[in-house]
């Protein structure tokens, strides 16, 4: 990793005093950084995920990728689960948002 991924480069809009890069606070910029630096590859199917993978969620109303989560389990009574900070959850079924 480089400092440009997470280091104090820009002020997070709406949060004075919190310094981050755009790639840390913006889902599209995080995607660009990870793919362009060959840290991650794109997979378009939930059948290809592994524990620890970062997933991104499309918001049709905004016509944008607006949230990210991390796959936490593949074999639960609920199927694939993920963790996220928006609603502070861990082991939330991916099927809840698909």
């Amino acid at each position: 990793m480089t400092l440009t991924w997470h280091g104090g480069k820009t002020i997070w809009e709406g949060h004075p005093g919190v310094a981050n890069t755009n790639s840390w606070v913006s889902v599209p910029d995080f995607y660009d950084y990870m793919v362009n630096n060959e840290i991650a590859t794109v997979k378009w199917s939930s059948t290809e995920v592994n524990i620890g993978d970062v997933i991104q969620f499309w918001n049709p109303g905004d016509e944008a990728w607006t949230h990210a989560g991390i796959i936490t389990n593949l074999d639960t009574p609920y199927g694939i689960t993920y963790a996220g900070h928006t609603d502070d959850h861990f082991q939330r079924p991916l099927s809840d948002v698909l």
Side-chain angles (χ1 to χ4, degrees):
M1 291 291 152
T2 65
L3 289 178
T4 58
W5 177 67
H6 61 76
K9 297 290 183 183
T10 60
I11 299 299
W12 187 6
E13 185 177 331
H15 301 295
V18 178
N20 287 292
T21 60
N22 289 341
S23 57
W24 182 242
V25 297
S26 166
V27 173
D29 289 346
F30 178 77
Y31 166 92
D32 289 343
Y33 179 87
M34 297 298 280
V35 172
N36 293 339
N37 287 284
E38 298 179 359
I39 298 166
T41 57
V42 177
K43 297 180 181 179
W44 293 98
S45 171
S46 62
T47 62
E48 299 179 77
V49 298
N50 293 301
I51 293 173
D53 283 356
V54 175
I55 53 172
Q56 294 187 318
F57 299 98
W58 177 258
N59 182 323
D62 292 340
E63 295 186 3
W65 299 96
T66 56
H67 289 286
I70 299 173
I71 297 296
T72 55
N73 208 323
L74 302 176
D75 187 24
T76 71
Y78 310 107
I80 299 169
T81 61
Y82 73 99
H85 70 83
T86 301
D87 296 328
D88 292 335
H89 54 267
F90 179 69
Q91 304 285 34
R92 181 176 182 185
L94 189 57
S95 60
D96 283 0
V97 294
L98 296 178

